Amino acid sequence: MDSLETSPEFEYISIDQFLDAGDEFNIQDTITTGIIFLTPHQESLVAKLMGALSIKSPDKIERLTNRMNRIESLAASIAQFPSLLERTNTTSSVRTPEALVDSLISYPEDGDTILHMPSKASMGKSFLIAKIHTFFSMYKLARDYTDLPEKEVKEYYEETVSMMFTLMAEDVYLNLLHDKTLEMSFRQRLATSLIILWEHRSDQNMSDIAPVLQSVWRARRTLAPAFGTMMGTSELIMVSMQADNAWGKFIKARLGDSDVSQALEEFLFGISYEQIGRLKEILKNQGVKSIGRDEVSSYLGERVKTDISLDYRDFYLLYTVRRDNARARQRLKVSGPKKTLEDHFIRFIMEAEQETQNNDRLAK
């Protein structure tokens, strides 16, 4: 994607339109800072862990220091690539942020677009994954080799999960960019958010969204779905009661949408729309009213993962299964949810934020 031309299908817009003066990343900050090695909060966590290890487990410090140095070197290498938010003379042409937005929106809907993406985007994803693994290792070090209070140890895991949601946000933005039912201005805003994520490997939108999705995931762990009716009504109420206010507003506003309700059912029960349909039919034919999670595989005649874990890797793994299934249904034009629950929720939050900003501008 180092060679881009503006398509006549889209109106040429300036990326500045989507970067308000009050945004965490304004255009000047973006150009001068590039990829973020560590946020201020992450720096404080690293310093705290180093201090705690020096007291109880000084032998662990050198290994952690070496790992952090490797991550920093990777960030420095990626930073050598041209900024995605500047006008850049590439090997064969000129690339502008506006042309990049245009190109993202006009990506083919099917297939893997990895070779269409800027090199900085692909390398940055590897950097973020390396950071996620590093902070998870730091969590285990804090838990097993320091005297830090449990509350402070938990901060390392929460930071790991937060970065995992940033990884997930990239997929969600790409999914929503291809939704032609969305207004062009909103898709342009999504593309801009994606470019900023690629530039910094940090995403300001997820700072509000991630804690809500994490709380829903935790609440889901306490559920005991009645695999029989497969309605999930009681589970939905429990999740909504334990989750953030934004989640309740989302449920109230969007549950009537069949794609949302089907995506929610997949999320709650941990099996696909197709498996849910088959299980309903099997239980109905056999006159079985309810079964437990551990019985689902035997009834379906295939191994399915319905156990619940708080491991961030399981969250992302199951998300990608639902994501891939949704993309396949969209491509094959078959019944079932065409988007994940995360797609729907992030869209809802971003649309609400855009509406608020528009109202604020009109009020001035």
Side-chain angles (χ1 to χ4, degrees):
M1 186 183 284
D2 292 335
S3 177
L4 294 170
E5 296 180 359
T6 303
S7 164
E9 180 182 351
F10 304 109
E11 178 185 358
Y12 187 85
I13 52 97
S14 170
I15 200 168
D16 294 45
Q17 295 179 25
F18 301 104
L19 296 170
D20 296 335
D23 283 349
E24 179 182 350
F25 303 119
N26 62 49
I27 191 70
Q28 289 303 317
D29 287 342
T30 301
I31 291 172
T32 56
T33 60
I35 193 166
I36 296 175
F37 167 50
L38 293 174
T39 66
H41 178 59
Q42 290 168 354
E43 286 181 355
S44 69
L45 289 177
V46 172
K48 183 191 296 183
L49 180 59
M50 290 292 192
L53 288 172
S54 68
I55 296 172
K56 190 175 180 183
S57 306
D59 59 307
K60 304 294 181 184
I61 291 179
E62 183 179 2
R63 184 173 295 182
L64 177 58
T65 300
N66 290 339
R67 185 160 186 171
M68 296 303 298
N69 287 340
R70 287 194 292 270
I71 299 294
E72 186 172 16
S73 295
L74 181 57
S77 297
I78 297 170
Q80 297 301 311
F81 283 79
S83 170
L84 300 176
L85 291 170
E86 290 183 294
R87 182 183 180 88
T88 302
N89 291 317
T90 64
T91 305
S92 58
S93 64
V94 176
R95 182 181 68 199
T96 66
E98 292 78 15
L100 183 52
V101 168
D102 183 349
S103 179
L104 287 170
I105 293 172
S106 59
Y107 268 176
E109 294 183 18
D110 298 332
D112 194 328
T113 56
I114 186 68
L115 294 180
H116 290 76
M117 294 181 184
S119 300
K120 193 170 190 176
S122 303
M123 294 181 66
K125 191 168 190 174
S126 298
F127 162 77
L128 181 58
I129 292 171
K131 250 180 95 170
I132 290 171
H133 291 326
T134 299
F135 270 79
F136 186 56
S137 295
M138 289 168 62
Y139 160 70
K140 290 189 287 187
L141 284 172
R143 181 192 63 192
D144 300 335
Y145 296 100
T146 75
D147 289 324
L148 288 172
E150 183 179 349
K151 182 179 180 181
E152 294 183 20
V153 170
K154 187 179 178 183
E155 289 183 50
Y156 294 91
Y157 189 77
E158 289 176 344
E159 189 62 29
T160 303
V161 173
S162 178
M163 287 187 284
M164 180 275 292
F165 278 112
T166 298
L167 185 67
M168 187 187 75
E170 181 173 357
D171 286 336
V172 172
Y173 291 155
L174 286 169
N175 288 342
L176 294 177
L177 275 172
H178 297 146
D179 186 347
K180 292 185 174 128
T181 67
L182 297 175
E183 292 184 4
M184 180 57 68
S185 62
F186 185 69
R187 292 168 70 193
Q188 289 169 335
R189 191 176 188 88
L190 284 167
T192 303
S193 293
L194 179 59
I195 294 171
I196 293 173
L197 186 156
W198 282 343
E199 179 73 12
H200 295 282
R201 279 300 151 183
S202 183
D203 185 67
Q204 59 184 344
N205 294 319
M206 292 308 292
S207 61
D208 295 327
I209 294 171
V212 181
L213 289 174
Q214 191 175 357
S215 67
V216 174
W217 179 254
R218 279 197 299 264
R220 176 185 180 270
R221 186 170 184 263
T222 67
L223 306 179
F227 286 94
T229 62
M230 304 298 291
M231 292 299 292
T233 304
S234 61
E235 289 78 13
L236 170 59
I237 293 172
M238 288 176 65
V239 168
S240 299
M241 287 176 63
Q242 297 177 55
D244 184 89
N245 236 354
W247 175 258
K249 291 178 182 177
F250 165 67
I251 290 297
K252 183 177 180 181
R254 299 297 308 278
L255 192 58
D257 182 327
S258 61
D259 201 86
V260 174
S261 61
Q262 290 167 359
L264 175 62
E265 203 169 44
E266 282 194 326
F267 180 92
L268 287 173
F269 293 107
I271 55 179
S272 71
Y273 170 83
E274 292 77 15
Q275 289 169 326
I276 289 172
R278 283 167 47 208
L279 190 56
K280 283 181 180 179
E281 192 65 25
I282 290 170
L283 297 181
K284 178 182 177 182
N285 291 339
Q286 295 186 14
V288 178
K289 293 183 179 180
S290 180
I291 61 173
R293 287 187 184 277
D294 57 346
E295 299 176 277
V296 172
S297 292
S298 61
Y299 274 90
L300 287 175
E302 59 182 299
R303 184 180 179 277
V304 292
K305 183 177 176 61
T306 58
D307 58 310
I308 301 299
S309 165
L310 288 181
D311 192 316
Y312 72 96
R313 292 166 296 187
D314 282 350
F315 186 109
Y316 188 74
L317 177 67
L318 294 177
Y319 160 73
T320 60
V321 170
R322 289 182 285 111
R323 176 202 66 192
D324 292 346
N325 287 343
R327 288 175 178 174
R329 294 186 197 105
Q330 179 72 34
R331 184 173 65 254
L332 299 174
K333 302 187 186 308
V334 296
S335 60
K338 310 300 190 297
K339 291 186 177 63
T340 66
L341 184 65
E342 292 84 354
D343 291 339
H344 286 296
F345 181 64
I346 291 175
R347 171 186 172 179
F348 175 80
I349 294 298
M350 292 185 68
E351 285 181 332
E353 288 176 351
Q354 183 170 349
E355 184 178 355
T356 299
Q357 290 173 4
N358 291 340
N359 292 337
D360 289 344
R361 290 192 185 99
L362 291 174
K364 291 180 181 179

